[in-house]
Amino acid sequence: MILELFRLDGKAALVTGCNKGIGRSCAEALAEAGADIIGVSRSGEMAETEGTIAALGRNFRSYQCDFSVRESLYDFIQLVKEEHAAVDILVNNAGTIMRKPAAEHPDDYWDKVVEVNLNSQFILSREFGKDMVARGSGKVIFIASLLSFQGGITVPGYAASKGGIKQLTMALSNEWAAKGVNVNAIAPGYIATDNTAALRNDPTRSQAILERIPAGRWGRPEDFKGAVVFLSSAAGSYMHGSVVTIDGGWMGR
């Protein structure tokens, strides 16, 4: 039956940045489909996510890690590998954004954004992906952005990192598709999360954005549940190297 292809029973999913927003929604969706969740965030505080997942009858294990610190990232990876038999699904959601015009954009802004949004995601994908390749199965899902396709304003580091995520998705897919590992990305449009608070609080920018979105509204974290389950499941087994836009029609305008 078709709905059985979307089941994730017996799978373990590592979701980064799952304390709120899109990451939390993805973790909950995967648990609803039957997966156990390994969650990580910078603060390590994921009580609400854990409560929701426990209520679904799934296991949840939380970790704390600052992805801008390379040593902490490697310590986290080692700990997960010691405590879990396998990571079947990796959702690279954690990210950050720092706003300042390009001519004034300081090195520390650029370095932190690229480290969190691109470097750490490559390392996570390489370290868990090599195990997936060895097993002959696995799913890697990146959270890209509309700025994987467009340049944005006052966020050069973010745009560069998200453009890199699009290319990384295709690069890893080219090497791993024939080895049973699906690598894809989801590109959110303008979603009502902490990252877009500055835009939503600016009446001029907010109105201009809404006027361009054919759906006529800001996206919501729950809009990503269907896509992440599809890409994580047998239903998406022939999806490789794709970037799926969930944007209310923005890119089609």
Side-chain angles (χ1 to χ4, degrees):
M1 299 295 288
I2 183 61
L3 293 181
E4 290 302 309
L5 292 177
F6 292 85
R7 294 299 307 171
L8 298 173
D9 302 281
K11 302 296 185 182
L14 169 55
V15 183
T16 70
C18 71
N19 56 318
K20 57 186 176 180
I22 293 172
R24 177 179 171 182
S25 187
C26 287
E28 291 174 357
L30 296 173
E32 288 170 14
D36 292 322
I37 307 299
I38 303 163
V40 59
S41 70
R42 185 176 59 184
S43 68
E45 298 175 0
M46 291 169 278
E48 291 186 10
T49 307
E50 181 173 7
T52 300
I53 290 170
L56 294 167
R58 308 312 313 164
N59 295 322
F60 182 85
R61 175 71 166 89
S62 64
Y63 294 86
Q64 185 278 327
C65 184
D66 183 346
F67 286 174
S68 69
V69 180
R70 187 73 60 91
E71 182 179 0
S72 296
L73 175 63
Y74 277 109
D75 288 345
F76 163 70
I77 292 169
Q78 180 178 348
L79 186 58
V80 170
K81 290 194 175 193
E82 289 173 354
E83 296 185 349
H84 301 273
V87 170
D88 303 294
I89 301 159
L90 171 62
V91 180
N92 283 306
N93 167 74
T96 191
I97 189 166
M98 303 184 80
R99 301 177 185 275
K100 195 172 280 290
E104 305 163 17
H105 209 80
D107 289 356
D108 59 321
Y109 275 32
W110 175 276
D111 291 344
K112 182 173 182 178
V113 170
V114 171
E115 186 67 25
V116 172
N117 292 7
L118 183 60
N119 295 345
S120 71
Q121 298 197 25
F122 169 68
I123 293 169
L124 285 162
S125 300
R126 182 189 65 204
E127 295 304 306
F128 290 108
K130 66 175 67 173
D131 298 334
M132 295 177 183
V133 168
R135 292 194 305 271
S137 66
K139 310 283 187 176
V140 178
I141 301 164
F142 292 97
I143 301 301
S145 169
L146 292 184
L147 297 196
S148 297
F149 308 95
Q150 301 173 327
I153 299 171
T154 74
V155 288
Y158 185 84
S161 67
K162 292 301 185 176
I165 287 297
K166 176 176 176 286
Q167 296 301 115
L168 181 58
T169 298
M170 294 186 288
L172 296 182
S173 177
N174 287 343
E175 295 191 35
W176 294 350
K179 299 177 181 179
V181 180
N182 299 78
V183 184
N184 293 286
I186 297 171
Y190 286 91
I191 313 301
T193 65
D194 288 353
N195 275 1
T196 61
L199 297 177
R200 287 182 288 116
N201 291 332
D202 181 331
T204 302
R205 290 294 306 281
S206 180
Q207 181 179 351
I209 288 167
L210 283 172
E211 287 175 349
R212 174 168 167 164
I213 300 173
R217 67 169 175 86
W218 288 79
R220 296 183 287 264
E222 55 266 32
D223 291 325
F224 296 84
K225 286 189 169 185
V228 75
V229 170
F230 169 64
L231 293 176
S232 298
S233 70
S237 61
Y238 202 56
M239 291 284 288
H240 292 282
S242 295
V243 182
V244 179
T245 56
I246 301 179
D247 62 357
W250 178 280
M251 289 298 294
R253 189 75 178 250

